[in-house]
Amino acid sequence: MTATTKLLFLLLLCAWLGALGRCERVERAASSERGLVLVKENKLTSLLGVAFLRLEASGIAFLSQADPLSVVSDNRMDVVEAPTDFCPSSPNASLQGNPAYPSMCSDADCGFEGMTYDFVSGDRYFAIVETVLTDGVYNGLLCQMDMQYTVQTCQLLTDYAFSTSNKGYEGVAVVRYNGELFLFLLCEGNHCTSGAKGREGGGGRIHVYQQQQQQSGATNSSSVLFAKIDTVKLPSSLNFEDYSGIDVYGNTLLVTSQSSSLFWVGTLAAKDENDFYVRDDGYVYYFPRTDTGSLLYCNVEGVAVMRPHDALFTVAQPPEEEDPRLVIGDALLGMSSDKSKSDQSSSCVEKDMMVHTFRLPFASSPSFSSSSSSFSSRE
């Protein structure tokens, strides 16, 4: 074992041991009005009570206040159930589902990048594989899971081809509009591409897929269940290097960036079911930084508003005065973080492979009253 390897081993061991015994509330004031407030967090290995397990957390789903968060990883097909108290070695934390890979992909190119719960049907999750290579073409793979996280069906999304394997779909969110089911699939790269153009801010894109037929029975067939019908452009003012997580709550759209270590919230609107759009520039928030201003949350992937999503997208034009921040209000924001990269700093290692909860900064102010906010009627 080289000296570098020993040092890395000790850093990881200390980070894990340091997390043990911690499940208390750590909420503290944001460093600025645009800084997210950390409430709780812990390593996934600490929750599971294991010393070492590679869990490249990439997506998170919320079911109810009484249920654990569901966390998927881009290097595995099973799911971590993480109790929301984030206590170490919790008896309610576990690995669930079937770790076997669907027939359309292998362990070399599979793993879930995003996950969401269908609050309307109440009996399934959707999960997205970034890309799979089929006949020389990179397409996303959309899977539906039952409530035990068993994959029921997977569909190869041939409506759009990506240029590389590692810049495909990063997140998925459910939207119900005019009685129809839509899935919002978030592209990782700007303009849904890779390379220099994919890193140029202002080109965030969401592909909108509409359900074409009802699921009938458990099958791994690739029959067409969803078809791409629209593309939502995120604001050109949103200078994110990449996009890593998405959720839709009411008319509010939430997006995270891993590389930029930023979080954005804005308002979703629609002219009709084939023309969704973002109505405003929204609001950008920073994840907490180190005391010297360096990035700390370097690998955030996945976001979920921890409040029942019964208030799904149902109106074509939200009121002009509606503030997306008030729609979220004081709700916790569940987030997950991927494994740190070899070229990232030790501060990034400290926060990798974790689950976190944050609040918007104004919601932690003693003067904030959820009863006076517009979101209160949405629960």
Side-chain angles (χ1 to χ4, degrees):
M1 184 181 290
T2 67
T4 302
T5 303
K6 288 180 179 178
L7 179 59
L8 180 60
F9 173 82
L10 289 173
L11 285 171
L12 291 171
L13 180 60
C14 288
W16 179 72
L17 289 175
L20 289 179
R22 289 209 312 262
C23 62
E24 71 275 11
R25 191 183 190 89
V26 297
E27 184 167 344
R28 55 181 177 267
S31 59
S32 73
E33 63 179 12
R34 286 299 172 89
L36 291 176
V37 178
L38 174 65
V39 178
K40 293 181 183 179
E41 63 183 12
N42 210 338
K43 294 277 188 179
L44 288 169
T45 50
S46 175
L47 297 181
L48 293 169
V50 297
F52 299 103
L53 184 63
R54 187 169 173 174
L55 294 165
E56 300 180 11
S58 55
I60 191 166
F62 172 80
L63 178 59
S64 76
Q65 303 289 356
D67 292 287
L69 294 167
S70 303
V71 182
V72 291
S73 302
D74 58 20
N75 67 316
R76 307 174 65 94
M77 300 302 290
D78 46 13
V79 179
V80 177
E81 285 198 336
T84 55
D85 59 11
F86 292 173
C87 287
S89 302
S90 171
N92 296 319
S94 60
L95 278 169
Q96 299 288 334
N98 187 347
Y101 291 86
S103 59
M104 293 179 213
C105 60
S106 68
D107 57 4
D109 60 9
C110 257
F112 292 126
E113 287 288 350
M115 180 185 190
T116 192
Y117 172 62
D118 184 352
F119 277 86
V120 176
S121 72
D123 62 1
R124 61 181 173 180
Y125 293 93
F126 292 100
I128 188 72
V129 177
E130 183 168 20
T131 63
V132 295
L133 181 62
T134 306
D135 297 328
V137 178
Y138 294 108
N139 300 114
L141 185 69
L142 176 67
C143 295
Q144 298 181 43
M145 297 185 289
D146 62 21
M147 298 305 293
Q148 288 71 50
Y149 309 111
T150 300
V151 173
Q152 299 296 300
T153 180
C154 287
Q155 176 191 344
L156 193 64
L157 301 176
T158 57
D159 291 334
Y160 189 85
F162 292 96
S163 56
T164 59
S165 62
N166 64 342
K167 292 296 178 185
Y169 290 127
E170 280 290 295
V172 55
V174 170
V175 171
R176 292 276 184 173
Y177 177 64
N178 281 351
E180 299 292 328
L181 173 66
F182 301 88
L183 295 180
F184 278 35
L185 301 184
L186 179 70
C187 291
E188 179 177 2
N190 284 281
H191 308 286
C192 292
T193 191
S194 57
K197 185 176 182 181
R199 294 189 296 271
E200 292 177 355
R205 299 290 185 267
I206 300 167
H207 289 167
V208 180
Y209 283 76
Q210 184 176 13
Q211 183 169 274
Q212 302 297 299
Q213 64 185 62
Q214 295 295 322
Q215 178 183 355
S216 56
T219 175
N220 277 332
S221 71
S222 59
S223 59
V224 175
L225 295 174
F226 289 86
K228 181 176 176 292
I229 55 98
D230 193 15
T231 297
V232 174
K233 294 182 179 181
L234 294 175
S236 59
S237 59
L238 195 59
N239 192 28
F240 283 7
E241 187 175 330
D242 68 359
Y243 307 85
S244 60
I246 183 174
D247 194 16
V248 176
Y249 179 70
N251 293 319
T252 301
L253 182 60
L254 306 90
V255 174
T256 58
S257 172
Q258 176 179 200
S259 296
S260 301
S261 191
L262 295 170
F263 167 76
W264 173 86
V265 57
T267 302
L268 182 66
K271 295 177 182 177
D272 56 55
E273 63 186 33
N274 294 314
D275 191 1
F276 294 94
Y277 65 98
V278 176
R279 195 189 63 188
D280 48 43
D281 284 344
Y283 301 87
V284 175
Y285 292 91
Y286 296 87
F287 286 95
R289 306 290 176 93
T290 66
D291 292 339
T292 59
S294 299
L295 296 184
L296 189 59
Y297 293 84
C298 315
N299 300 283
V300 175
E301 295 193 15
V303 57
V305 178
M306 293 173 62
R307 178 175 284 137
H309 287 41
D310 301 317
L312 292 165
F313 192 67
T314 56
V315 296
Q317 288 291 349
E320 287 298 323
E321 68 276 7
E322 186 171 58
D323 187 325
R325 298 171 299 174
L326 292 179
V327 175
I328 297 172
D330 61 352
L332 290 175
L333 303 172
M335 301 192 193
S336 55
S337 283
D338 199 351
K339 186 180 184 301
S340 59
K341 301 172 179 60
S342 59
D343 60 350
Q344 290 180 326
S345 67
S346 58
S347 61
C348 296
V349 178
E350 180 185 345
K351 300 296 184 180
D352 76 349
M353 294 190 288
M354 269 189 149
V355 283
H356 329 266
T357 52
F358 294 92
R359 290 188 196 276
L360 296 181
F362 75 92
S364 294
S365 168
S367 62
F368 176 78
S369 172
S370 61
S371 63
S372 63
S373 301
S374 63
F375 77 88
S376 62
S377 63
R378 294 171 171 269
E379 293 190 306

